[in-house]
Amino acid sequence: MKVLIIGNGGRESAIAKKLSEDKRISQMFFAKGNATTENLGKNLPYDSVAELRDFALREKIDFTFVGPELPLVNGIVDEFQKHNLKIFGPTKRAADLEGSKAFSKKFMQDYGIRTAKAAIFDSYVEADQYIQNHSYPLVIKASGLASGKGVVICEDKETAHHTLHQFMIERIYGDAGIKVVVEEFLQGFEASIIAFWNGEKAFPCVSAKDYKKVGNGNTGANTGGMGTVAPSPEFTAEHLADFNKNILEPTVKGIKDKALDFVGIIFFGVLVQDNQCYLLEYNMRFGDPETQVIMALLENNLLDVIHDCIEGKDLDLQFSDKKAICLVMCSGGYPGNFEIGYEIQGLDKVKHSNVLFAGAEQIAGKVVTNSGRVLNVVATGDTYEEAREKVYEDAKTLHFDYAFYREDIGKF
C-alpha cells in the first residue's frame, strides 16, 4: 500500500510511527512532513488541495490521512472523493463543526448538548453592547480558525471591549474573528476525548489531559499544547458516563439529522464543572499533542482501525493500562516571536523515550528547528511518575539554543 499523510507536526510523526509498524505499507509520503517523517518515507513540497489531489492520482495513493484542520475546512475530503481517492476525514460541511465556532455552538444548542450559555455576533456594535451588561469573567471566541489562539478569558469589561476590537475591527486573526461567540465562563478541569467515527457510531479512545498554557502552573499565554498525559487522571468512569449521555449521544443524533456524512475523527474538548461535563469545542481531527499519548497506548493495528472505520464496521479499541506522557520542547519566545535554524543536539543520548519531531527539519545531515513547537518527548510507565521520570531525564539530554519546556507535565 501507498499512504499519504498530510501535515508536519508531532501528531503526524506519531501517526506515521504507528502506521510504519504495518508491513502492508510499502511507501509513505508526507506533505510537508518533518525530520521524523523524512526517515519513514518521502517528504513532499505540496500543500494546496489541487497539488495533493494530483499527486495522489499520479502516484495511485491507496489511502490518505489528514492531520491538520485547514485542509479539512478547505474541502480536501470532498475533492479526493470526487476522484475516488480513499481518504480519512470529515467533508467540508462536517469540518464546519471545527471551522466555525458559531456553527458548532448553534449545533450544540439545537441538539441539547450540555455547553456554556452563549450568544453569537457578527456585529461589533451589538457584541460590544452585550458585554456591557454581562457578568464577568466571560469568554470571547473568534468563530473561525485561529491556530488555537482565538479564545480569550476576559476578567472585566475593558478586556472584553479590547478583545472584541482586536478580533472584529483590527482583525488580528483575519476573517476568523469577524464573527464571535461570547459565552459564560466555566471553571473546572479540561479533558480531551477523541473518538473514531465510522459514519454511524463513535468509538472513544482513552481520555487525555492537555496542558495549554505556556508556563508552569498553567500560567501565561495559550499555546497549541505544551504536553499531554493519558489517561487523564481526573476523568473518571462517572465523568465518562455523563459525557456519553449529555455530549456524545446528542452529538451522534445531530450528525445524523444534519446528514453530515463522513468517516474520521471527532475530538471533544470537555470541561468538567461540579462533576458535570460541558462541551467546549469540537475538533474534527486528531489533537496535537493528544495523539502522541493515545498512539503510545493504542494496542490495535492503526491501519486496521482506519480501514474498519471506512468500511463502516464496529471497532473494538484496545489500550494499554500503562500511563503515557508527552513533553513538548519549544523555541524561546513561543507562542510569540521566535527564531529558527538551531541545531538539535543530544538525540543519541535519549534512553527511555521516543522523540517525535514537529517543528524540525533535516538539513545537510543535521536536525534543525523550523517552528515554535519543536519536538515531543514521549514515554510510558506503569505509573505517571515512572513515565514522567523517563520523559524529563531524556529531555535534559536534548539541546538547541533557547529551548524551553514546562516542568510540571504529569505532576499532580
Side-chain angles (χ1 to χ4, degrees):
M1 290 184 67
K2 291 183 177 180
V3 172
L4 171 62
I5 297 177
I6 297 170
N8 62 351
R11 165 184 50 215
E12 288 74 34
S13 292
I15 294 294
K17 281 264 192 180
K18 191 71 176 174
L19 287 174
S20 70
E21 299 170 1
D22 196 307
K23 301 304 181 187
R24 291 170 293 180
I25 297 176
S26 57
Q27 283 184 287
M28 287 197 286
F29 299 93
F30 306 92
K32 293 184 175 180
N34 55 43
T36 291
T37 64
E38 188 166 335
N39 291 329
L40 297 173
K42 183 178 180 180
N43 289 348
L44 306 170
Y46 312 129
D47 52 18
S48 76
V49 170
E51 288 175 322
L52 293 165
R53 175 204 63 208
D54 291 346
F55 175 82
L57 287 168
R58 186 168 63 249
E59 287 291 328
K60 295 181 172 57
I61 296 297
D62 294 291
F63 159 70
T64 298
F65 176 92
V66 187
E69 62 272 29
L70 190 58
L72 295 170
V73 171
N74 287 341
I76 190 169
V77 170
D78 308 68
E79 185 61 28
F80 271 48
Q81 288 177 343
K82 284 180 191 174
H83 296 270
N84 296 315
L85 292 165
K86 193 173 287 188
I87 186 168
F88 187 68
T91 59
K92 184 175 175 61
R93 283 187 67 228
D96 275 346
L97 283 171
E98 175 172 8
S100 170
K101 288 186 173 61
F103 175 80
S104 64
K105 179 59 71 171
K106 188 172 187 309
F107 178 91
M108 296 174 206
Q109 293 169 339
D110 288 348
Y111 289 96
I113 296 159
R114 190 190 290 138
T115 186
K117 295 175 183 176
I120 301 165
F121 299 96
D122 55 15
S123 163
Y124 169 75
V125 172
E126 290 178 8
D128 201 48
Q129 288 174 343
Y130 180 81
I131 66 171
Q132 302 305 317
N133 301 309
H134 201 287
S135 59
Y136 286 83
L138 60 74
V139 181
I140 298 178
K141 299 179 177 180
S143 179
L145 298 177
S147 302
K149 300 171 186 175
V151 178
V152 178
I153 298 171
C154 304
E155 300 289 345
D156 49 49
K157 290 180 185 178
E158 290 74 19
T159 305
H161 173 79
H162 177 67
T163 300
L164 284 177
H165 196 274
Q166 282 192 313
F167 283 10
M168 304 185 81
I169 305 301
E170 299 172 38
R171 297 194 179 185
I172 62 171
Y173 297 121
D175 289 346
I178 59 177
K179 182 180 285 189
V180 298
V181 177
V182 182
E183 63 183 34
E184 68 173 328
F185 175 71
L186 300 174
Q187 195 154 18
F189 70 87
E190 293 185 29
S192 301
I193 312 295
I194 295 175
F196 287 89
W197 174 255
N198 72 352
E200 289 290 328
K201 298 178 185 177
F203 301 88
C205 299
V206 63
S207 64
K209 176 182 176 66
D210 179 24
Y211 294 75
K212 291 185 173 67
K213 299 284 190 178
V214 71
N216 294 332
N218 226 32
T219 57
N222 269 334
T223 71
M226 297 296 294
T228 41
V229 173
S232 169
E234 302 154 311
F235 197 78
T236 66
E238 179 186 0
H239 296 138
L240 180 60
D242 183 73
F243 163 80
N244 286 337
K245 179 180 178 181
N246 294 292
I247 296 175
L248 182 64
E249 290 174 12
T251 294
V252 170
K253 183 179 188 307
I255 288 174
K256 290 181 178 179
D257 280 358
K258 289 191 172 292
L260 301 178
D261 299 324
F262 74 99
V263 291
I265 297 295
I266 310 174
F267 174 115
F268 300 85
V270 174
L271 184 138
V272 180
Q273 176 178 277
D274 299 327
N275 275 331
Q276 290 189 319
C277 293
Y278 292 79
L279 183 61
L280 298 176
E281 64 176 357
Y282 294 108
N283 292 337
M284 301 306 289
R285 35 83 192 180
F286 274 113
D288 187 343
E290 289 93 346
T291 303
Q292 290 84 311
V293 284
I294 288 172
M295 288 300 114
L297 298 178
L298 180 66
E299 294 182 336
N300 303 71
N301 177 295
L302 181 58
L303 186 62
D304 286 342
V305 170
I306 292 171
H307 183 265
D308 285 348
C309 258
I310 292 173
E311 295 295 317
K313 296 178 181 178
D314 283 358
L315 304 182
D316 180 20
L317 297 177
Q318 299 292 324
F319 293 91
S320 165
D321 60 3
K322 289 183 178 293
K323 318 303 181 187
I325 292 180
C326 170
L327 174 68
V328 179
M329 296 186 69
C330 299
S331 299
Y334 175 81
N337 296 325
F338 53 85
E339 296 181 355
I340 62 174
Y342 298 111
E343 182 181 358
I344 301 169
Q345 299 175 320
L347 293 165
D348 57 333
K349 298 176 183 176
V350 173
K351 295 179 180 178
H352 312 290
S353 312
N354 283 322
V355 175
L356 301 173
F357 293 113
E361 61 183 338
Q362 294 189 37
I363 299 178
K366 298 178 179 180
V367 181
V368 300
T369 66
N370 71 354
S371 192
R373 290 194 296 169
V374 174
L375 60 85
N376 309 144
V377 186
V378 183
T380 62
D382 290 330
T383 64
Y384 294 108
E385 188 56 37
E386 181 187 343
R388 179 179 152 77
E389 286 176 3
K390 290 178 180 179
V391 160
Y392 279 97
E393 182 180 333
D394 286 331
K396 289 176 183 176
T397 70
L398 297 169
H399 174 77
F400 53 91
D401 288 354
Y402 309 109
F404 79 96
Y405 51 84
R406 277 181 60 163
E407 298 169 343
D408 60 348
I409 307 299
K411 189 174 184 179
F412 312 119

